[in-house]
Amino acid sequence: MKSMRSVPLALGAFLLVSAAAPWGVLPDSAIAASAAADGAAVSASTNKEREPMTKKAIVDSSYQGTEGAVIEGVKQYRSVQKAISDVPADQASPYVIYLKAGIYKEVLTVDKPYVTLIGENAKRTVITYDNASGTPKPDGSGTYGTTGSATVTVKGENFTAVSVTFENSFDEANSPYQNKQAVAIKTQADRAIFKDCRFIGNQDTLYPNLGRQYFLDSYIEGDVDFIFGAATAVFENSRIHSLDRGSDTNNGYITAASTLNSNPYGYLFINCRLTSDLGMEGTVSLGRPWQPGGNTNAVASVVFKHTHMGSHITSTGWVDMGASKAANARFFEYDSRGPGALKSPTRQVLTKEQADLYTPEAYFGDWDPKKVLEGLRPSFANPSLGHK
């Protein structure tokens, strides 16, 4: 797709505020510039030498021993939540929890910093639950709502997950509930990394809602608004898959960003692939602008850059969400490819000079998630878990 417009008004606003990007006041004080060869680092907050970044715990769904028992220096668990709960509240370096392949049916809350989950195999290491927005709470106090439906909620900063599936297994098609939003994971803490992860659900699968998030080499599926929220998030080299809702005209929306107007950086998709189930030609929108509670200060920001788009993407690209108009949002594309890369007056295309402003480095500021992953690399190789 070639540029069809001059600089959009929304991009002009981006240029004005980018110099004062909010991440300038969020230093990554907890992560040292680099790890030493043995994996040790120095905590900027305590100025004490960190422990080597090796495994602290192993979770195995078939484990029958005492939760937290130490075997050869490593704590053993069958519950992921129990392993997370035992992470020190003042943890200042990656606390690695290995997840052996298995199904972990748990609702998790990650409320400690530096929790690092490394799965044995992304497809076979699955954290799952089946609550939906309309699911009644056991205590009779009402339903869970969208936020409460999340299988996993991340509240601790510097969270990392590698080779893990996060799933909400709610049966959308056969449920009698009116409210069928069902979140697989909600992230509401700064500096979260997901590499080689899978996010499985239908409506509202992935909810990046606060801070900076990085999704690398991952797979995300859903139907309606299945990537939504107010976070600054970069999706790189990932597959975004739309599921068939059985409609001939509208099979959903990929994004529903609620980026605050004061934040120039919302969602960036770079070198990604947009795919779908068969027979969905022209029925899926790139996104719509979400204004939670009618908050007019939420002006969605979504950029697709160097992304291959399947034939399921509509020619319109973007649509309104109630009173929130797509034309007023910060929706842009650059170098879209494939049968879904269609010329349309409703799809704003950046020039190369404009697109050069949208990079992971610009979105992340003083945080380098790839350096964090490189420091963790020795922990990825664990013969007892089948890693190579």
Side-chain angles (χ1 to χ4, degrees):
M1 298 171 64
K2 297 182 179 179
S3 176
M4 299 179 291
R5 299 186 175 197
S6 58
V7 178
L9 292 177
L11 179 59
F14 164 81
L15 293 170
L16 289 174
V17 300
S18 60
W23 307 128
V25 296
L26 288 174
D28 187 8
S29 60
I31 298 181
S34 63
D38 64 352
V42 176
S43 168
S45 60
T46 64
N47 202 33
K48 295 190 303 182
E49 186 174 77
R50 290 179 180 171
E51 297 179 7
M53 291 185 286
T54 56
K55 62 180 178 294
K56 301 292 186 179
I58 291 178
V59 184
D60 183 348
S61 60
S62 64
Y63 174 66
Q64 297 299 314
T66 302
E67 294 273 43
V70 178
I71 300 176
E72 296 182 354
V74 180
K75 293 183 178 181
Q76 310 290 316
Y77 299 89
R78 61 180 165 275
S79 164
V80 183
Q81 183 62 71
K82 180 60 178 172
I84 292 170
S85 296
D86 284 353
V87 175
D90 60 350
Q91 185 69 22
S93 62
Y95 187 105
V96 177
I97 301 172
Y98 283 100
L99 306 181
K100 297 203 73 171
I103 306 297
Y104 300 91
K105 189 170 183 181
E106 303 184 50
V107 175
L108 303 182
T109 299
V110 181
D111 56 0
K112 308 291 182 61
Y114 287 99
V115 171
T116 300
L117 304 180
I118 298 180
E120 181 175 357
N121 177 283
K123 290 186 177 180
R124 295 189 293 113
T125 308
V126 182
I127 300 171
T128 184
Y129 214 80
D130 57 359
N131 285 330
S133 177
T135 301
K137 295 181 180 179
D139 62 5
S141 62
T143 59
Y144 282 104
T146 299
T147 293
S149 73
T151 299
V152 178
T153 301
V154 177
K155 298 180 179 180
E157 292 188 344
N158 298 293
F159 174 82
T160 300
V162 179
S163 299
V164 178
T165 289
F166 300 93
E167 178 185 57
N168 192 310
S169 56
F170 170 68
D171 187 354
E172 178 185 76
N174 297 307
S175 171
Y177 302 150
Q178 181 177 359
N179 297 319
K180 299 187 178 186
Q181 298 91 338
V183 177
I185 186 167
K186 178 181 180 181
T187 54
Q188 52 184 40
D190 195 25
R191 300 185 295 271
I193 301 171
F194 301 87
K195 183 183 186 306
D196 186 33
C197 287
R198 301 170 72 245
F199 303 87
I200 307 299
N202 290 98
Q203 182 171 355
D204 292 2
T205 304
L206 178 59
Y207 191 1
N209 198 46
L210 185 67
R212 291 165 288 183
Q213 324 290 330
Y214 184 45
F215 301 84
L216 175 66
D217 302 332
S218 293
Y219 170 86
I220 307 162
E221 74 171 27
D223 47 39
V224 174
D225 305 334
F226 62 97
I227 303 173
F228 73 111
T232 291
V234 173
F235 304 84
E236 186 171 2
N237 193 34
S238 294
R239 180 182 172 194
I240 317 300
H241 187 80
S242 293
L243 300 174
D244 188 0
R245 294 199 301 157
S247 173
D248 293 332
T249 58
N250 182 6
N251 278 301
Y253 322 89
I254 293 173
T255 66
S258 56
T259 324
L260 291 178
N261 191 42
S262 58
N263 183 5
Y265 306 110
Y267 294 165
L268 172 64
F269 296 84
I270 185 167
N271 296 321
C272 290
R273 290 186 300 135
L274 309 185
T275 63
S276 72
D277 290 347
L278 296 176
M280 292 172 56
E281 286 74 11
T283 62
V284 176
S285 299
L286 294 172
R288 53 184 184 168
W290 181 35
Q291 294 184 327
N295 181 8
T296 57
N297 289 321
V299 183
S301 171
V302 182
V303 176
F304 286 93
K305 184 175 177 180
H306 306 313
T307 291
H308 186 278
M309 301 183 177
S311 62
H312 60 298
I313 300 301
T314 66
S315 58
T316 304
W318 311 91
V319 296
D320 300 338
M321 192 172 188
S324 182
K325 302 300 181 183
N328 297 330
R330 294 168 287 177
F331 290 152
F332 307 122
E333 298 175 60
Y334 176 72
D335 188 32
S336 294
R337 307 159 182 176
L342 303 169
K343 291 184 178 180
S344 168
T346 58
R347 294 172 65 167
Q348 301 188 72
V349 180
L350 302 172
T351 66
K352 182 183 184 304
E353 292 73 21
Q354 294 162 5
D356 286 345
L357 298 172
Y358 295 89
T359 64
E361 292 77 14
Y363 277 56
F364 293 144
D366 61 356
W367 178 52
D368 187 348
K370 289 188 177 180
K371 182 178 290 186
V372 176
L373 289 170
E374 185 61 31
L376 283 169
R377 187 171 298 279
S379 296
F380 296 167
N382 180 18
S384 68
L385 292 180
H387 284 268
K388 297 181 179 180

